[in-house]
Amino acid sequence: MCFICDLKTPSAHTAPDAADLKTRRWQARRAFMLAAGATAAGSALAQVDVGSSSGLRKLVPAETLETSARQQYTQVLAEARAKGALAPDGHPQLQRLQAIAQKLIPHTAQWNTRSRDWKWQVNLIGSKQINAWCMPGGKIAFYTGILEQLKLSDDEAAMIMGHEMAHALREHARERRAKSQATSIGLSIASQLLGLGSLGDAAASLGTQLLTLKYSRDDETESDLVGLEIAARGGYKPEASVSLWQKMQAASGNGSPSFLSTHPSGANRIQELQANLPKVQHLYEQALKG
């Protein structure tokens, strides 16, 4: 029986006394609070299924990689500034990107608790490249080419930003680096056992470089789905993930944009996103109400 109905309907045999009524009211109120709490907790859970992060990433300390990322990010910005290509604080497109980031960042911690301590940054670099990325530790850069050539809406830009954030949150670079180190160590040991000497060392080095050239297909799928959910929670239309990659596919027919060299487009990618749209639609609707 519904606890509310139970509260409203006295026993057919005996009328409830004041103490009994008080107890029932408390039980009803407690049940309501528990139900509300469960709903709130449920809304904070991931709606897309990407599994757990690879344990292999633990071979590389997160702090080490994030420190390196900060240094590289600073260098990239310095080079862009020297060329007059770094957008100033008041640049409209930069302000647009920063506004999107402010809506997405609050929804990142559930994917990586370390992100609560990240010093998130968003910068815009003047370049015709169709490119954007997020380094470990939350260091984001967009190139004007991706905004202008693809004529991105705010929703589509949010999908790209969410996708790039997801690479950092899921620590894909850390995982790739760990795999590179493991492969390098393995090849070095094998070369010594086989007596290959420096030839073996060279093979180890080459193998490491190849492993770090781009993310795996699984990494890309994870980032697509995690980014989709983050953007939806931030109040951006889930359908924009599909229109974004449709634009990417069209762009790939006009050469090979930088973004697509490490983020391959394809029909399967779009189908995967379409299949997950219903899972995050209610998050988008909640964000609009909030």
Side-chain angles (χ1 to χ4, degrees):
M1 179 181 287
C2 167
F3 68 83
I4 295 179
C5 296
D6 187 49
L7 176 64
K8 290 181 178 178
T9 308
S11 169
H13 301 289
T14 59
D17 57 21
D20 187 34
L21 280 175
K22 184 176 181 180
T23 299
R24 291 189 182 188
R25 288 193 185 98
W26 164 243
Q27 290 174 339
R29 188 179 300 112
R30 181 174 183 273
F32 175 79
M33 291 183 344
L34 288 174
T39 300
S43 66
L45 299 176
Q47 303 301 298
V48 297
D49 182 13
V50 294
S52 58
S53 298
S54 171
L56 188 64
R57 72 190 193 286
K58 295 180 181 179
L59 293 175
V60 176
E63 297 86 351
T64 300
L65 195 61
E66 290 169 15
T67 297
S68 176
R70 285 195 298 272
Q71 294 171 348
Q72 292 180 44
Y73 191 68
T74 300
Q75 182 178 349
V76 169
L77 297 186
E79 292 174 354
R81 187 179 295 108
K83 297 176 182 177
L86 186 64
D89 291 339
H91 193 288
Q93 290 283 46
L94 175 58
Q95 291 179 329
R96 174 193 179 199
L97 292 173
Q98 290 173 337
I100 292 172
Q102 287 177 355
K103 293 183 179 180
L104 302 192
I105 290 171
H107 308 290
T108 59
Q110 76 174 58
W111 297 100
N112 189 327
T113 56
R114 287 185 57 79
S115 68
R116 293 192 180 98
D117 299 321
W118 289 355
K119 306 300 182 184
W120 290 89
Q121 288 181 259
V122 182
N123 278 281
L124 177 64
I125 297 173
S127 170
K128 293 182 179 180
Q129 290 186 50
I130 297 180
N131 205 5
W133 40 264
C134 178
M135 289 183 177
K139 307 305 182 186
I140 302 170
F142 270 67
Y143 292 72
T144 54
I146 200 168
L147 298 174
E148 296 170 356
Q149 294 185 48
L150 298 187
K151 296 180 173 59
L152 297 181
S153 65
D154 284 357
D155 297 292
E156 291 166 342
M159 291 299 158
I160 289 181
M161 189 176 293
H163 174 99
E164 294 307 317
M165 285 178 164
H167 276 308
L169 294 167
R170 296 291 287 179
E171 299 186 298
H172 290 154
R174 186 182 176 194
E175 180 183 347
R176 300 299 289 176
R177 180 62 179 160
K179 288 180 179 179
S180 297
Q181 287 188 357
T183 301
S184 179
I185 292 171
L187 287 174
S188 296
I189 292 174
S191 67
Q192 292 174 24
L193 291 175
L194 296 173
L196 297 177
S198 60
L199 178 60
D201 293 336
S205 177
L206 178 59
T208 299
Q209 292 173 18
L210 291 174
L211 280 172
T212 57
L213 285 177
K214 60 182 180 180
Y215 294 125
S216 70
R217 183 173 298 179
D218 288 343
D219 291 343
E220 290 301 324
T221 298
E222 282 188 13
S223 291
D224 280 348
L225 300 185
V226 173
L228 170 65
E229 179 164 325
I230 290 173
R233 288 182 183 275
Y236 293 98
K237 296 178 183 177
E239 296 85 353
S241 63
V242 174
S243 62
L244 165 65
W245 287 103
Q246 288 172 338
K247 288 183 177 182
M248 286 290 184
Q249 276 193 317
S252 67
N254 300 319
S256 180
S258 300
F259 192 82
L260 295 179
S261 66
T262 53
H263 300 74
S265 63
N268 291 340
R269 183 171 214 150
I270 292 175
Q271 290 173 0
E272 187 78 25
L273 286 164
Q274 288 175 324
N276 280 272
L277 294 184
K279 297 180 181 180
V280 300
Q281 181 63 30
H282 69 287
L283 298 177
Y284 167 64
E285 293 169 358
Q286 287 175 2
L288 293 185
K289 293 177 182 178

XYZ file of all heavy atoms in Angstrom, residues 25-76:
384
model
N 2.795 10.049 10.575
C 3.244 11.243 9.839
C 4.772 11.234 9.685
O 5.310 11.584 8.652
C 2.790 12.508 10.555
C 1.308 12.773 10.464
C 0.971 14.193 10.903
N -0.447 14.428 10.930
C -1.192 14.364 12.024
N -0.636 14.077 13.191
N -2.491 14.599 11.964
N 5.455 10.859 10.771
C 6.916 10.812 10.710
C 7.395 9.755 9.707
O 8.316 9.985 8.935
C 7.488 10.520 12.085
C 8.927 10.068 12.032
C 9.430 8.873 12.413
C 10.037 10.812 11.530
N 10.778 8.806 12.189
C 11.173 9.998 11.640
C 10.173 12.095 10.994
C 12.430 10.409 11.244
C 11.431 12.516 10.608
C 12.545 11.684 10.724
N 6.715 8.600 9.715
C 7.088 7.551 8.763
C 6.888 8.029 7.327
O 7.694 7.759 6.441
C 6.265 6.291 9.031
C 6.638 5.574 10.322
C 5.712 4.420 10.624
O 4.589 4.368 10.109
N 6.170 3.499 11.478
N 5.787 8.732 7.093
C 5.515 9.246 5.752
C 6.559 10.269 5.338
O 7.069 10.252 4.218
C 4.125 9.874 5.710
N 6.865 11.179 6.285
C 7.850 12.218 5.981
C 9.230 11.602 5.732
O 9.948 11.986 4.825
C 7.923 13.206 7.155
C 8.778 14.440 6.855
C 8.800 15.397 8.022
N 7.478 15.873 8.362
C 6.838 15.577 9.481
N 7.410 14.785 10.378
N 5.642 16.048 9.715
N 9.589 10.607 6.543
C 10.893 9.947 6.394
C 10.977 9.216 5.055
O 11.987 9.276 4.349
C 11.107 8.958 7.542
C 12.448 8.229 7.490
C 12.627 7.386 8.751
N 13.926 6.739 8.745
C 14.148 5.565 8.175
N 13.160 4.922 7.566
N 15.365 5.023 8.201
N 9.888 8.535 4.693
C 9.867 7.818 3.415
C 10.005 8.783 2.249
O 10.698 8.519 1.263
C 8.569 7.019 3.283
N 9.341 9.950 2.361
C 9.428 10.949 1.298
C 10.854 11.468 1.171
O 11.386 11.611 0.073
C 8.477 12.109 1.597
C 8.603 13.244 0.616
C 8.018 13.168 -0.636
C 9.339 14.378 0.936
C 8.147 14.206 -1.540
C 9.472 15.417 0.037
C 8.865 15.323 -1.201
N 11.498 11.740 2.318
C 12.861 12.264 2.289
C 13.828 11.245 1.709
O 14.732 11.583 0.962
C 13.291 12.682 3.698
C 12.516 13.904 4.179
S 12.953 14.590 5.797
C 13.863 13.391 6.597
N 13.631 9.982 2.057
C 14.496 8.935 1.509
C 14.322 8.814 0.000
O 15.273 8.645 -0.744
C 14.186 7.593 2.188
C 14.648 7.454 3.646
C 14.140 6.147 4.229
C 16.173 7.517 3.711
N 13.053 8.892 -0.429
C 12.788 8.798 -1.871
C 13.404 9.972 -2.617
O 13.999 9.823 -3.676
C 11.277 8.763 -2.121
N 13.257 11.163 -2.037
C 13.841 12.349 -2.672
C 15.348 12.249 -2.714
O 15.988 12.609 -3.702
C 13.414 13.608 -1.902
N 15.924 11.739 -1.608
C 17.379 11.583 -1.575
C 17.868 10.601 -2.602
O 18.891 10.802 -3.252
N 17.121 9.513 -2.775
C 17.506 8.512 -3.761
C 17.449 9.092 -5.165
O 18.303 8.821 -6.019
C 16.583 7.306 -3.658
N 16.423 9.924 -5.427
C 16.304 10.547 -6.744
C 17.469 11.477 -7.003
O 18.052 11.498 -8.076
C 14.980 11.342 -6.838
O 13.903 10.433 -6.629
C 14.842 12.010 -8.188
N 17.819 12.272 -6.000
C 18.939 13.208 -6.154
C 20.239 12.464 -6.392
O 21.056 12.851 -7.233
C 19.054 14.091 -4.909
N 20.427 11.376 -5.628
C 21.656 10.603 -5.796
C 21.706 9.969 -7.165
O 22.742 9.926 -7.819
C 21.729 9.532 -4.704
N 20.519 9.476 -7.622
C 20.475 8.837 -8.932
C 20.828 9.786 -10.052
O 21.475 9.412 -11.029
N 20.421 11.060 -9.909
C 20.682 12.032 -10.972
C 22.157 12.344 -11.090
O 22.617 12.859 -12.104
C 19.888 13.318 -10.707
O 20.368 13.948 -9.538
N 22.918 12.073 -10.011
C 24.348 12.371 -10.051
C 25.150 11.235 -10.676
O 26.332 11.385 -10.949
C 24.863 12.642 -8.646
N 24.506 10.078 -10.872
C 25.200 8.934 -11.437
C 25.334 9.063 -12.940
O 24.521 9.691 -13.599
C 24.453 7.643 -11.080
C 24.319 7.331 -9.585
C 23.470 6.083 -9.397
C 25.691 7.146 -8.947
N 26.358 8.395 -13.471
C 26.577 8.437 -14.915
C 25.424 7.757 -15.636
O 24.936 6.714 -15.223
C 27.887 7.743 -15.245
N 25.005 8.354 -16.723
C 23.922 7.799 -17.533
C 24.459 7.018 -18.736
O 23.763 6.169 -19.281
C 23.003 8.928 -18.016
C 22.407 9.756 -16.893
C 21.580 8.936 -15.932
O 20.574 8.341 -16.316
N 21.989 8.894 -14.664
N 25.662 7.330 -19.162
C 26.276 6.589 -20.259
C 27.201 5.533 -19.667
O 27.752 5.706 -18.582
C 27.062 7.522 -21.203
C 26.122 8.524 -21.861
C 28.185 8.253 -20.469
N 27.353 4.435 -20.373
C 28.151 3.320 -19.870
C 29.482 3.263 -20.611
O 29.526 2.925 -21.792
C 27.380 2.014 -20.069
C 28.126 0.806 -19.520
O 29.103 1.012 -18.770
O 27.729 -0.327 -19.855
N 30.553 3.592 -19.914
C 31.890 3.537 -20.522
C 32.837 2.649 -19.717
O 34.024 2.559 -20.038
C 32.494 4.955 -20.672
C 31.705 5.773 -21.667
C 32.560 5.668 -19.325
N 32.324 2.023 -18.668
C 33.171 1.139 -17.874
C 34.136 1.923 -16.996
O 34.096 3.148 -16.918
N 35.027 1.203 -16.348
C 36.003 1.834 -15.462
C 37.273 2.196 -16.233
O 37.552 1.616 -17.291
C 36.355 0.894 -14.304
O 36.863 -0.329 -14.801
N 38.011 3.152 -15.709
C 39.266 3.555 -16.344
C 40.300 2.450 -16.229
O 40.259 1.633 -15.296
C 39.805 4.832 -15.693
O 38.914 5.904 -15.864
N 41.222 2.413 -17.151
C 42.268 1.387 -17.146
C 43.180 1.538 -15.932
O 43.650 2.630 -15.626
C 43.097 1.487 -18.428
O 44.230 0.647 -18.355
N 43.441 0.423 -15.245
C 44.337 0.453 -14.105
C 45.783 0.649 -14.520
O 46.624 1.028 -13.699
N 46.080 0.425 -15.806
C 47.446 0.564 -16.290
C 47.964 1.986 -16.143
O 49.168 2.209 -15.977
C 47.511 0.136 -17.761
C 48.896 0.024 -18.398
C 49.700 -1.064 -17.710
C 48.777 -0.284 -19.888
N 47.048 2.958 -16.146
C 47.459 4.361 -16.071
C 48.216 4.671 -14.784
O 48.978 5.643 -14.711
C 46.249 5.278 -16.195
C 45.349 5.292 -14.965
C 44.034 6.021 -15.242
N 43.284 6.307 -14.035
C 42.611 5.408 -13.326
N 42.601 4.152 -13.712
N 41.945 5.762 -12.244
N 48.020 3.833 -13.758
C 48.654 4.075 -12.465
C 50.169 3.910 -12.520
O 50.866 4.270 -11.572
C 48.053 3.142 -11.420
C 46.579 3.420 -11.148
C 46.001 2.474 -10.114
C 44.521 2.761 -9.881
N 43.932 1.818 -8.890
N 50.676 3.373 -13.624
C 52.124 3.267 -13.792
C 52.775 4.637 -13.932
O 53.971 4.798 -13.707
C 52.457 2.416 -15.024
C 52.096 0.921 -14.949
C 52.365 0.245 -16.279
C 52.889 0.248 -13.832
N 51.978 5.626 -14.321
C 52.472 6.997 -14.483
C 51.793 7.885 -13.447
O 50.565 7.969 -13.426
C 52.178 7.531 -15.895
C 52.599 8.992 -16.022
C 52.867 6.678 -16.947
N 52.544 8.538 -12.562
C 51.932 9.417 -11.559
C 51.150 10.552 -12.216
O 51.652 11.214 -13.131
C 53.139 9.958 -10.779
C 54.228 8.956 -11.010
C 54.008 8.455 -12.405
N 49.922 10.754 -11.773
C 49.086 11.804 -12.345
C 49.729 13.172 -12.181
O 49.696 14.013 -13.080
C 47.709 11.785 -11.695
N 50.357 13.401 -11.016
C 50.978 14.704 -10.750
C 52.094 15.002 -11.748
O 52.237 16.133 -12.213
C 51.545 14.739 -9.325
C 50.501 14.581 -8.234
C 50.187 13.123 -7.916
O 50.664 12.237 -8.680
O 49.466 12.878 -6.945
N 52.850 13.973 -12.095
C 53.955 14.151 -13.041
C 53.439 14.568 -14.404
O 53.958 15.509 -15.024
C 54.755 12.833 -13.172
O 55.273 12.463 -11.893
C 55.889 12.993 -14.168
N 52.394 13.887 -14.859
C 51.847 14.192 -16.177
C 51.195 15.572 -16.196
O 51.334 16.323 -17.167
C 50.826 13.122 -16.572
C 50.424 13.084 -18.050
C 51.634 12.808 -18.932
C 49.355 12.031 -18.285
N 50.509 15.923 -15.145
C 49.844 17.228 -15.084
C 50.855 18.368 -15.018
O 50.628 19.439 -15.592
C 48.882 17.256 -13.893
C 47.663 16.365 -14.107
C 46.840 16.160 -12.845
O 47.051 16.927 -11.868
O 45.997 15.257 -12.819
N 51.950 18.143 -14.320
C 53.010 19.152 -14.279
C 53.607 19.353 -15.662
O 53.828 20.491 -16.104
C 54.129 18.725 -13.301
O 53.585 18.645 -11.984
C 55.269 19.729 -13.316
N 53.860 18.266 -16.355
C 54.378 18.346 -17.719
C 53.393 19.061 -18.630
O 53.782 19.881 -19.469
C 54.656 16.938 -18.251
O 55.080 16.972 -19.597
N 52.108 18.780 -18.452
C 51.071 19.419 -19.278
C 51.047 20.925 -19.040
O 50.920 21.711 -19.992
C 49.712 18.808 -18.961
N 51.166 21.336 -17.795
C 51.183 22.773 -17.495
C 52.349 23.458 -18.194
O 52.206 24.556 -18.751
C 51.278 23.008 -15.983
C 49.999 22.762 -15.219
C 50.066 23.365 -13.828
N 51.128 22.768 -13.023
C 50.984 21.681 -12.277
N 49.829 21.059 -12.242
N 51.986 21.222 -11.558
N 53.496 22.807 -18.177
C 54.677 23.375 -18.819
C 54.479 23.480 -20.335
O 54.803 24.507 -20.940
C 55.896 22.515 -18.491
C 56.278 22.533 -17.015
C 57.338 21.514 -16.658
O 57.665 20.618 -17.444
N 57.901 21.617 -15.452
N 53.954 22.433 -20.927
C 53.725 22.441 -22.369
C 52.669 23.469 -22.751
O 52.780 24.148 -23.769
C 53.301 21.048 -22.833
C 54.403 20.006 -22.718
C 53.943 18.631 -23.183
O 53.300 18.493 -24.204
N 54.274 17.614 -22.397
N 51.645 23.572 -21.936
C 50.566 24.526 -22.209
C 51.109 25.951 -22.171
O 50.804 26.776 -23.042
C 49.467 24.348 -21.169
C 48.175 25.083 -21.463
C 47.366 24.714 -22.527
C 47.743 26.128 -20.640
C 46.162 25.363 -22.780
C 46.546 26.777 -20.873
C 45.757 26.391 -21.945
O 44.566 27.047 -22.193
N 51.916 26.226 -21.165
C 52.530 27.551 -21.047
C 53.388 27.864 -22.270
O 53.372 28.987 -22.782
C 53.396 27.635 -19.771
O 52.570 27.405 -18.622
C 54.065 28.995 -19.648
N 54.099 26.867 -22.744
C 54.950 27.050 -23.916
C 54.118 27.320 -25.166
O 54.446 28.210 -25.971
C 55.817 25.813 -24.137
C 56.774 25.936 -25.312
C 57.660 24.704 -25.474
O 57.695 23.843 -24.597
N 58.358 24.629 -26.584
N 53.039 26.574 -25.329
C 52.158 26.769 -26.492
C 51.572 28.177 -26.485
O 51.544 28.861 -27.511
C 51.023 25.726 -26.497
C 49.960 26.083 -27.535
C 51.578 24.335 -26.792
